[in-house]
Amino acid sequence: MSTPLGPAAALRRIAFLLERAREPTHRVAAFRTAAAVVDTIGPEELDRRIRTRTLTDLRGIGPKTGAAIVQAHAGEVPEYLARLEEAHSELVPLADDVAEFRATLRGDLHTHSDWSDGGSPIREMAEAAIGLGHEYMALTDHSPRLTVANGLTAERLERQLDVVAELNAELAPFRILTGIECDINVDGSLDQTDELLGRLDVVVASVHSDLRAESAAMTERMLAAVANPHTDVLGHCTGRLLIPREQREGRRQRPRPESAFDAEAVFTACAQHDTAVEINSRPERLDPPLRLLSLAVELGCRFAVDTDAHAPGQLDWQGNGCERAVETGVDPDRVVNTWTADELLEWTAG
């Protein structure tokens, strides 16, 4: 039986075991969603909710997840988790391997602040990353084309670079790496000037539009982006959403299927151009799917285990990506955010 874990960690371990035991997707999602809620509200609010018995009033927390939270908060192993570990004891060593894998990560290469569609200032995101033991965090707010996400114009991005320089002087030795999540345009070009992209530490290139395009067109679009010398990481490659998610101004985004593209061609190009494939840890993404992640491993790709965090608590989602990395045999040595900041920057500069 496992040692007691914090509430969010206990919920994620339950979700991990449920998924490996091939339980229904909605059950796994319920525990991942509840873990995300716990991350968001913080320990003081969680304590108040438990004392006032209003925990299940929160959207995303039900009777089963709520009971597990209360027991974990009290320093106990939740009964639900204990039963799972007894029934599926063969899966518990894998869960321990996930913790070891996660311990190799030094930072996160895909995060957002309130400069685009994140909910918190840059400093708060950085301080949360420091609290997790990270050595660095790449700030990758959206590029201008994604207006729904308040993407940064060239002028706003230049101002952000100045802000990051000031924060780095205060937060050293922790480092905020300058970056962008750059939209891949329909023609495969990147949605920012070459001059600015060349000044950034990390460029994550992602498709956010025309996601239902024909496979051939999507493949050519992604191949062009992967070959671009500014691209360091190919973000959430299929664009899928497994569960609904809340957007800005109360909008709700429905689940969507994977985009169609020639994955073997794209991952082969990633290996040839030394572009890392992102293992996106957001509970509603978990992208790429396991079959495609296994293919990327076979083709010799590098990887980046990222959270795509839009709030401080979401920086703790890396465990989701580590689970998938362990299951598909990803070698930590091929994960670029296991490297020191200097090693990483030498790679991105090259």
Side-chain angles (χ1 to χ4, degrees), residues 11 86 154 203 214 239:
L11 291 168
E86 183 176 357
V203 174
E214 292 294 327

Side-chain angles (χ1 to χ4, degrees), residues 285-303:
R285 287 194 182 276
L286 299 180
D287 201 358
L290 291 176
R291 74 181 194 286
L292 296 187
L293 183 51
S294 295
L295 177 62
V297 172
E298 292 172 12
L299 293 172
C301 293
R302 293 194 195 275
F303 300 93

Side-chain angles (χ1 to χ4, degrees), residues 195-249:
E195 188 275 331
L196 262 179
L197 291 175
R199 291 169 56 187
L200 300 176
D201 294 325
V202 177
V203 174
V204 178
S206 307
V207 174
H208 290 104
S209 61
D210 298 291
L211 293 168
R212 308 312 313 143
E214 292 294 327
S215 177
M218 182 63 80
T219 301
E220 289 304 311
R221 180 181 183 183
M222 295 173 75
L223 288 175
V226 165
N228 190 305
H230 294 301
T231 301
D232 301 308
V233 179
L234 176 64
H236 49 69
C237 63
T238 77
R240 71 175 184 176
L241 290 179
L242 299 172
I243 55 178
R245 68 173 181 177
E246 304 298 326
Q247 290 185 296
R248 294 167 65 90
E249 300 172 0

